[in-house]
Amino acid sequence: MENRRARPPARLSSRRPLVAAFLAAAVALVPGCSAESTTADASGGTVLAALPKAIPDALAPFYGQRPAWRSCEGAGMEEFECARLKAPLDYENPTAGTLDLALSRKKATGPGARLGSLLVNPGGPGGSAIGYLQSYAALGYPAPVRARYDMVAVDPRGVADSEPVTCLDGPAMDAHTATDATPDTPAERRTLVSAFRKYGKGCQADSGKTLGHVSTVESARDLDLVRSALGDEKLTYVGASYGTFLGATYAGLYPHRVGRLVLDGAMDPTLDARRLNLEQTAGFDTAFTAFAKDCARRKDCPLGAGDPRSAGRNLTAFFDKLDADPLPTGEGRALPESLATMGVVAALYDEAGWPQLRTALTSAMKDRDGNALLALSDLYYERDADGGYQNLMSANAAVNCLDLPPAFATPQEVEAALPEFREASPVFGEGFAWASLNCAQWPTPATSAPHRIEAPGAAPIVVVGTTRDPATPYRWAEGLASQLDSATLLTYDGDGHTAYGRGSDCVDTAINTYLLKGTPPREGTRC
C-alpha cells in the first residue's frame, strides 16, 4: 500500500471531488525526515529537531523575496492572484540550484480586521494545493474565516505547478494502472515488479535531480519561505490527510513560528511504512463494513442483504471474475480487477460516495457494464477524458518513497505478509500488500525514517481525527496528538476521510473559533 491514497493503496488528500482525498492513503503512505534533522530521545527513538531560529546567511536571498502577484489566468479566476517564488533545490547546499514554487491567493473579503494569511493543503502527497484553494477552500470555507484571512496555497515541490514530477505518459499510465495488482503466478509477480520498476525509471528520466529533493521536510522548509514572503511572523495553516504530516513537520522544524495549525485526518510519523499500510488496509475494511451495512438495508444493494462478511465475499468473488475476464466499458478500455478495486476504494473515502458506488457496482455486477466503476477509478487517478493524467500519482510515489524506507524489499516478503494483510481486510488486503512493494523499485533511496514530532514551545495546535476514517485511521490522530507538546485532539464520531467542512456544526464551530480567536477546543471534545 504505501501511499496516502491507494494504488490500491497509494496515498491521501482531502479535496473535493471525492477521490482527490484518496490519494493519501495507499500505495505510498510514508512520511519522513532527513537524518540531519532528528535527535535521539530517552527511549532510543528519534525526534524531529527544530532548526535554528536565525536564518542562515546562505538562505537570506530566498527569505528576502516578495511575491509579484498578478491575476491568475483562466475563466472564473478574477478573484485570485498568482505568483512564483524561488526555493533552493537542496537546503543543505543552497547554491546547487533552485526550483520554482507556484502560489495563489484570494484576499480577505471583510468585514473585520485581517488576521493574516491562511495556508491550506489538501494532502496526497501530490494533491494540488492551488487546485484545492481555487475550487473549494477559497469559496467553501466558512465565510467568517474567509472574511478575516487571505486564503493562500502553494503547490509543494514536485506537485502540479511547482515543477511537477511526471513518470509516464497517458498510454503508459493506462497500462500501469491496469496491471494485475494481485499476482497469482510467478510470471504475474514479475510483471508487477517490472511495472513498478518502469514507473520509477520514468520518474527519474523526467525529473533528474529534483526527484531526490521532494521530501516532506524540504516542502515544510518551503512553507517557511512562503510564510516569510507573505510578511507573516507565524504560520496559520489547515492541512488535511498527508497535509497534517506536512504541517506537523513544519511545527517540529519551526515551533517558534507556529501560529494556528489545524491538522485534520492526521498521520502518525512514528509508524514505519509496513505498519502504515497495514493499518490503512484495516481502515478501508472498516469503511467497507460501514458501506456494506448501509447497502444491506436497501432493496437495490448489489452485494446482497446479508452481513458485511457476506458482502465482502460477494465483492471478492466479483473481483476474482474480473481477474480472469475484464468487463467491457464502452470506452474502448476494459475494466480489470485492478481498476475495479480502485473505483471501489475511491468511493469509500467519503460516505457521500456510497450511492454512486452502489450504482456502479449494480451496473458492473448485474448488467456487466464496467463504465461507472471505471469512471470512479479515473477520478481517483486524475485521468481526463482525453487520456491524460495529472501528476498526482507521480508526485505521490516520489514523496512517499523518499520519506520512508519501503514496506517490503522483495516479493517474498510480501508473500510472507499476505496472511496478516488478508486478516486486516479480506477484500482489499492482498492488493494493498502487493501495492506496498512499489517503493522497493524506486530509483532514489529514502532520506527519512519513522520519528516523533514534539514541537516544544509551539502555540496550541488542533489535531482532528474521525473515528471511522478509512485513509487515516483514528488511532493515528491519537498518536500525533500525544506527541505534539501543545496539541488538543478534536474527535469526530463518524464516517469518511477528514472532518472540517463536511457537515458537522460541532467540528466546524470548534475549528472556526480556533482560527478566529486562537482558542482551541477543550481537551476531550467529541462531536
Side-chain angles (χ1 to χ4, degrees), residues 67-73 77 80-84 102-103 105:
W69 295 107
R70 65 188 186 285
S71 297
C72 297
E73 298 178 358
M77 293 291 105
F80 292 96
E81 297 175 305
C82 289
R84 304 193 77 86
L103 288 75
R105 77 173 176 185

Side-chain angles (χ1 to χ4, degrees), residues 200-284:
K201 287 183 176 180
C203 287
Q204 188 175 41
D206 174 81
S207 305
K209 292 181 179 180
T210 302
L211 195 63
H213 292 284
V214 293
S215 70
T216 297
V217 164
E218 289 164 309
S219 289
R221 299 190 73 169
D222 292 342
L223 281 181
D224 201 52
L225 288 184
V226 173
R227 173 205 58 78
S228 175
L230 294 171
D232 292 340
E233 291 186 7
K234 296 189 175 185
L235 180 74
T236 299
Y237 172 91
V238 176
S241 196
Y242 162 80
T244 68
F245 178 59
L246 178 59
T249 300
Y250 180 90
L253 296 174
Y254 305 101
H256 50 288
R257 295 181 192 145
V258 169
R260 300 169 187 176
L261 264 59
V262 176
L263 308 178
D264 183 13
M267 299 190 63
D268 183 348
T270 66
L271 305 182
D272 63 26
R274 186 182 187 281
R275 184 172 169 191
L276 280 167
N277 288 324
L278 183 62
E279 292 189 4
Q280 191 173 58
T281 301
F284 276 100

Side-chain angles (χ1 to χ4, degrees), residues 61-62 64-73 81-87 98-105 128 130 134 152-165 222 225-226 229-230:
F62 296 99
Q65 299 176 91
R66 291 294 178 267
W69 295 107
R70 65 188 186 285
S71 297
C72 297
E73 298 178 358
E81 297 175 305
C82 289
R84 304 193 77 86
L85 292 176
K86 294 287 185 183
T98 63
L99 50 74
D100 285 346
L101 300 175
L103 288 75
S104 183
R105 77 173 176 185
S128 171
I130 291 178
Q134 294 177 348
V152 180
V154 53
D155 280 343
R157 52 177 60 206
V159 175
D161 289 332
S162 292
E163 304 205 9
V165 171
D222 292 342
L225 288 184
V226 173
L230 294 171

